[in-house]
Amino acid sequence: MNTQVRVEAQRSIPTAIDYKVYHDPEVFAAEQRNVFKGRTWCYLGLEAEIPNAGDFRTSHVGETPVVLVRGQEDKVFAWVNRCAHKGATVCRSLRGNQADGAFVCVYHQWAYDSEGTLVGVPFRRGMKGVGGYDKDFDPANHSLEKLRVESYKGMVFGTFSSEIEPLEDFLGPVMRKYIDRVFQRPIKVLGYSRQYMAGNWKLYSENSRDSYHGALLHLFYPTFGIYRQSQDSAGELAEQGFHNVFTVSKPKGDIDYTSFGDEANREMQGATKLQDERLLQFRPEIDDDVGLHIQSLFPNVVLQQIQNTLATRQIVTLGPDKTELVWTYFGYADDDEETTRHRLRNLNLVGPSGLISMEDGEAVELCQQGTIGAEGKFNFIEMGGDDVREYYAPMGMDENAVRGFWKGYLELMGDALSASTAEVPA
Amino acid sequence: MTIADPVLQGLIDSLNAAYGLCLDDGRLEDWPEFFVEDCLYQVIARENVDNGLPAAVMYCDSKGMLVDRVVALRQANVFPEHFSRHLISRAVVTGSEGNTVTAEASYAVLQTRNDGETRIFNAGKYVDRFLVEDGAARLVSRTCVYDTHRIATLLATPI
Ligand code: FES
Ligand SMILES: [Fe+2]
């Protein structure tokens, strides 16, 4: 048979993205420039992780290693963890305290202060008049690469961009309102987990904005006879489209899941009873009934409150198919021991072993594996329409926020994401 | 160091060996039976333990919660198909009082997924408290402190 095909250039649009964006090393490199080092504020960590002068933690902006430090005057700084001499990693620990505020590269002992300014070079004048740097050598020109740093409610962000608007404007009023909600009182860090996915960071970014999969991929609730779709839910997007938040309010009255059973294709077992209901217990502690708050802030963090779990999930892009998710769990500073234990019990629901969410790691890898060799083929993101709306309720069966992600992403990438050729029936 | 009572040592090592094989053979429903009713099982990153931070990726403080995990694994959760293989060292008994014994043992859990490659999935140590009664040991608490703080994809099957 002689089927004719013609080759046509096709561009990715928010409802149809070329699968090559998950695999192409050139796209990945362009993202590092245009997204992570471009006009965005990237999440670096929580102020509560570095409460004292000299406290530091290593972090990432995209693939670039950076260090977040609290300086002597309580100001927080961030710099690229790359020695200005020969590029060695300067700070080699995950976290700690540098009491004297000096970070010394082990290789030739160049020393930097907490702001990242070069403050000491051994044998700068040489030894016994031999060697040393030229007299024109000016340490001021050899500091670590510094980021602009701003915090909002204890979430610290950094940027490489000199033109970007202030952090508060980048987040916008809607996102700020929800950040305020979680950070209504001082927090304390409860710990970390790190989850490594053999998949592209955007697959995870889509996943956290995808309300369609929630009740279909994650079957913990229906398995135990708890179907949550009948609750009040809403989705809101920031103006740029790429930040979003989902909220679901605490169930009112009985919940039934028959409508779910009719629609879903995976077989539903008869409800099993939970042996220990403390696992799911929810104690409203913010002045509303919201039991689930998942907020994705472009490009690299998710802020969540699910039941009584509070966490940030930082996305680290280590390669086109290598993504690390750093979970930072926290509670409120005034939690008593019993409250902390309750949070630990709730934490079973989320994270790399999360009973209601572990499937996300698998979904990312499945999409990565499935799209190998699929350059020029496109996904299909039209659940709930083909537009991007700033508010929608209920938020369930809609890919609005995924389209919002792509809208913002494509704008930042501009021409860097060149058109692909696709085979189209003639 | 003192040499632990060989009978006690044998009881604990036997429990650990049976525990590993139970999980590796996929007999998940039997796994809660290694624990007493009022138990604690947690899987926690060493980086948290070393920094005095309590957050664990699994935290079950009753046998019922262990059962709930198993039911979820069987019926709800989606994860890469895999085999686990536990390699558990001889236990070091760290104390005993009445019929309560504390001990620690190193473990490595190897994982083989459908691609057929066997990878070191999780390495760490068990920090345990046992109840020794009627010639058998059961776990009062097991804390799996893992070194492998970068979890590959997700951690579904208990350690
Ligand atoms: S590379 Fe850092 S001092 Fe030489
Ligand atoms: Fe999910």
Side-chain angles (χ1 to χ4, degrees), chain A residues 244-269:
Chain A
N244 89 302
V245 62
F246 294 131
T247 52
V248 178
S249 298
K250 197 167 137 251
K252 294 181 182 76
D254 282 347
I255 318 154
D256 107 282
Y257 66 106
T258 43
S259 64
F260 177 82
D262 296 343
E263 289 282 343
N265 288 320
R266 272 169 67 194
E267 193 188 335
M268 292 306 308
Q269 319 246 2

Side-chain angles (χ1 to χ4, degrees), chain A residues 204 207-211 213-215 217-218 294 313 356-361 363:
Chain A
Y204 188 77
N207 174 276
S208 72
R209 290 167 173 82
D210 172 358
S211 56
H213 83 282
L217 174 68
H218 305 304
I294 299 177
R313 317 172 194 164
I356 62 166
S357 64
M358 67 167 84
E359 292 80 14
D360 291 328

Side-chain angles (χ1 to χ4, degrees), chain B residues 114-126:
Chain B
N114 283 342
D115 63 2
E117 193 174 321
T118 301
R119 301 174 180 87
I120 298 171
F121 178 67
N122 195 277
K125 73 169 177 176
Y126 293 130

Side-chain angles (χ1 to χ4, degrees), chain A residues 253-288:
Chain A
D254 282 347
I255 318 154
D256 107 282
Y257 66 106
T258 43
S259 64
F260 177 82
D262 296 343
E263 289 282 343
N265 288 320
R266 272 169 67 194
E267 193 188 335
M268 292 306 308
Q269 319 246 2
T272 314
K273 212 175 135 2
L274 212 53
Q275 300 264 317
D276 192 336
E277 283 172 354
R278 294 176 305 164
L279 194 61
L280 279 182
Q281 200 187 77
F282 175 49
R283 306 174 181 173
E285 55 186 338
I286 300 173
D287 205 13
D288 55 29

Side-chain angles (χ1 to χ4, degrees), chain A residues 197 203 207 213 217-218 358-369, chain B residues 78 153-154:
Chain A
M197 292 172 286
L203 290 169
N207 174 276
H213 83 282
L217 174 68
H218 305 304
M358 67 167 84
E359 292 80 14
D360 291 328
E362 173 69 350
V364 164
E365 294 194 355
L366 290 174
C367 290
Q368 189 72 22
Q369 291 156 16
Chain B
V78 180
T153 321
L154 54 91

